[in-house]
Amino acid sequence: MELFNLGIHEIRAMLDRKEITSKDVTDSVFGRIDAVEERIRAYVTVTKDEAVRMAAAADGATGSDTAAPLSGIPVAIKDNMCTKGILTTCSSRILGNFVPPYESTVTSKLTDQHYVLTGKTNLDEFAMGSSTENSAFQTTRNPWDTERIPGGSSGGSAAAVAAGECIAALGSDTGGSIRQPAALCGVVGLKPTYGRVSRYGLVAFASSLDQIGPITKNVRDAAMLLNVISGNDPKDSTSAPVAVPDFTAVLGQDIRGMKIGIPKEYFIEGMDAEVDASVREAIRKLESLGATAHEVSLPHSGYAVATYYVLATSEASSNLARYDGVKYGFRVEGKDLLDMYMQTRSQGFGPEVKRRIMLGTYALSSGYYDAYYKKAQQVRTLIKNDFEAAFKEVDLIVTPTTPTPAFKMGEKTDDPLQMYLADIFTISVNLAGVPGISIPCGFTSQNLPVGLQIIGRHFDEETVLKASYAYEQSTEWHMRRPAL
Ligand code: GLN
């Protein structure tokens, strides 16, 4: 296999054996970018000059630096994480010229290890969407079928990983934005527990839900990347002071006796028959590895999408108030201050972002607050309690990641509700704050990837990774690469 098609741990082993240099793998990745990026459009900004410099630094590193797991590895970063001196747009016109004066915690941790930044990946504007079609700049294509969307909002990161335009990537997940595109692009995407990873330098969308996580070619790589980015950070008060284990230590342990919950509310009418069949087959595979399956109930699942769209839009309307043309970003001059605000925000934000700001402002306004925002917070607690009750019975919960495989570009753009339903199986996980992963579990007859979602208890990414790895190692789905 070409270097660009390999994962972190395979490249790491070759680097450690001195069979290749970081320059070799970086050249391979940029050769791939040159060959396919025109068709995939995963990147808003490709940082070749920085990458060449960073690869040279990794190759020249001595002592303990050379042993760092991510040293010399080309990684793509979603364009909503601040990279000092490098354009960070959130795929929005309003940040179209924003060059951050500071570095996010996750990218600083990677920089400390001498990683190689390949570029900043495309997303739905401010991470609001499920297809990257809400990007102000471009729609990313699904590497398995370029007429289809890669999912979103981290569609650029997932497509870049699947197409070999990087070795691994970071995404962010507020309601499914790591897991859903990972599922649709046939790669691994892990949303850690809320609080596991610092969000300092992540442009805020909905602060009580946002979490950064890895998008990788296999489960071991996800564990390796999670090791690097996890941990309490004094710069993010929502990052939790809990110990970070070595997430790779559990890989390979057997899963005999593990109890797996199958929530009856997640196998619904309207679900694609091939997705349904692949997921059921995956559950049987887990059983053949020694796990036992149990039906569980998450009775408030039906309220998750509505609850999320009240809370996420409310938080977004507050977070996005800062984009007013005064301190940074895009500005349109007006006849007075108010006119400048109005022109800047009208021209700077796209239609989906405006829809969310209006919905959120309405839900928070006096007279409606109790009926919408407060009610949604109460339902959120019920959803969280559902998970807590289920996790008294089982160790993990297994569901499809998405109800359908990747859809065609334009298929849902006129119908926001249909688009919102793309996250019907991932949203509850953010509302409850628990960790969830999507791993490849099959392909449809049209050769489109299907994802299996595995959900764990708070701060128990280890059990999630252990089961994911056991499943992955007994199947070959993760070995397939799209023909580009
Ligand atoms: N698709 C969902 C939304 O549009 C989730 C996005 C995300 O996780 N950032 O809000």
Side-chain angles (χ1 to χ4, degrees):
M1 238 193 234
E2 305 257 17
L3 292 177
F4 63 73
N5 265 328
L6 298 178
I8 300 174
H9 72 273
E10 293 147 320
I11 300 282
R12 174 82 269 130
M14 294 170 85
L15 288 168
D16 289 347
R17 291 195 300 261
K18 308 245 185 279
E19 291 165 17
I20 56 165
T21 61
S22 175
K23 181 180 185 310
D24 295 332
V25 56
T26 302
D27 285 348
S28 172
V29 165
F30 279 93
R32 181 66 167 173
I33 292 175
D34 287 343
V36 303
E37 174 60 7
E38 210 184 330
R39 279 175 285 154
I40 303 297
R41 314 191 71 182
Y43 286 97
V44 176
T45 307
V46 173
T47 54
K48 190 166 183 183
D49 293 347
E50 283 83 359
V52 167
R53 192 174 46 70
M54 292 165 99
D59 285 332
T62 50
S64 62
D65 278 358
T66 51
L70 265 290
S71 166
I73 307 285
V75 178
I77 305 290
K78 186 177 182 179
D79 207 21
N80 62 351
M81 294 173 220
C82 288
T83 40
K84 187 175 177 182
I86 295 168
L87 197 63
T88 299
T89 67
C90 276
S91 290
S92 179
R93 274 193 82 189
I94 213 153
L95 287 176
N97 62 4
F98 177 59
V99 177
Y102 69 105
E103 189 79 24
S104 71
T105 293
V106 287
T107 51
S108 317
K109 288 182 167 192
L110 286 167
T111 303
D112 289 346
Q113 295 217 343
H114 287 288
Y115 89 122
V116 175
L117 172 68
T118 54
K120 304 297 292 292
T121 56
N122 192 37
L123 61 148
D124 289 290
E125 184 174 6
F126 284 101
M128 297 175 186
S130 307
S131 68
T132 80
E133 289 165 300
N134 296 335
S135 165
F137 308 130
Q138 69 212 30
T139 297
T140 300
R141 312 303 169 95
N142 191 311
W144 294 93
D145 176 351
T146 53
E147 312 255 284
R148 292 173 191 269
I149 55 84
S153 63
S154 313
S157 286
V161 173
E165 295 189 77
C166 59
I167 300 302
L170 290 184
S172 67
D173 190 313
T174 305
S177 280
I178 289 175
R179 291 159 288 154
Q180 186 257 15
L184 302 192
C185 289
V187 296
V188 173
L190 171 64
K191 184 204 85 78
T193 308
Y194 184 78
R196 176 63 91 186
V197 177
S198 168
R199 296 178 299 119
Y200 177 74
L202 170 71
V203 177
F205 160 15
S207 309
S208 77
L209 300 156
D210 300 338
Q211 189 63 196
I212 296 171
I215 298 181
T216 58
K217 292 169 190 163
N218 56 66
V219 174
R220 180 173 293 279
D221 287 5
M224 289 176 76
L225 203 42
L226 186 63
N227 274 349
V228 180
I229 62 175
S230 293
N232 182 227
D233 176 11
K235 291 175 178 160
D236 174 5
S237 62
T238 68
S239 75
V242 289
V244 179
D246 173 1
F247 293 107
T248 63
V250 294
L251 307 182
Q253 291 178 5
D254 87 68
I255 62 165
R256 245 170 294 169
M258 199 182 265
K259 288 188 180 161
I260 295 199
I262 316 297
K264 57 175 186 228
E265 294 82 2
Y266 279 59
F267 290 81
I268 50 166
E269 221 174 291
M271 190 153 90
D272 181 272
E274 290 184 296
V275 170
D276 186 84
S278 292
V279 170
R280 288 181 196 277
E281 183 61 39
I283 293 166
R284 281 194 289 278
K285 176 61 103 182
L286 286 164
E287 287 180 301
S288 77
L289 295 169
T292 56
H294 307 264
E295 187 179 272
V296 293
S297 176
L298 300 169
H300 298 92
S301 299
Y303 301 106
V305 173
T307 303
Y308 171 86
Y309 278 96
V310 172
L311 296 178
T313 58
S314 296
E315 294 183 29
S317 71
S318 163
N319 275 326
L320 271 57
R322 70 191 66 166
Y323 305 106
D324 56 8
V326 175
K327 291 205 186 78
Y328 45 75
F330 171 80
R331 174 198 295 206
V332 182
E333 297 302 342
K335 61 180 193 301
D336 54 27
L337 183 66
L338 188 64
D339 192 45
M340 187 279 281
Y341 288 157
M342 285 175 46
Q343 298 284 350
T344 298
R345 287 171 68 85
S346 306
Q347 294 180 40
F349 291 132
E352 181 62 26
V353 174
K354 286 181 192 160
R355 177 181 296 123
R356 303 231 184 165
I357 292 172
M358 287 190 278
L359 280 170
T361 307
Y362 180 81
L364 289 176
S365 59
S366 95
Y368 295 103
Y369 181 94
D370 284 358
Y372 296 108
Y373 184 76
K374 187 168 163 227
K375 181 68 78 188
Q377 290 286 30
Q378 289 166 330
V379 180
R380 180 178 187 169
T381 301
L382 297 176
I383 290 170
K384 178 169 155 281
N385 293 348
D386 285 353
F387 278 93
E388 263 161 31
F391 282 129
K392 289 207 172 88
E393 313 290 319
V394 295
D395 302 306
L396 292 171
I397 292 173
V398 173
T399 77
T401 308
T402 61
T404 66
F407 44 91
K408 291 237 163 89
M409 279 191 294
E411 201 177 306
K412 298 185 198 248
T413 38
D414 296 335
D415 189 346
L417 264 182
Q418 274 307 311
M419 191 69 92
Y420 295 174
L421 290 174
D423 297 299
I424 187 161
F425 297 145
T426 49
I427 272 175
S428 297
V429 173
N430 300 76
L431 290 169
V434 292
I437 198 170
S438 180
I439 56 174
C441 75
F443 285 81
T444 67
S445 48
Q446 294 190 71
N447 204 33
L448 298 172
V450 179
L452 180 73
Q453 179 171 237
I454 303 181
I455 305 163
R457 299 185 178 105
H458 283 108
F459 294 104
D460 190 14
E461 286 86 355
E462 286 171 289
T463 303
V464 171
L465 287 162
K466 186 161 107 179
S468 301
Y469 188 76
Y471 174 80
E472 178 192 78
Q473 293 302 304
S474 67
T475 58
E476 298 203 318
W477 310 119
H478 66 292
M479 314 281 273
R480 293 207 197 172
R481 298 289 180 267
L484 275 167

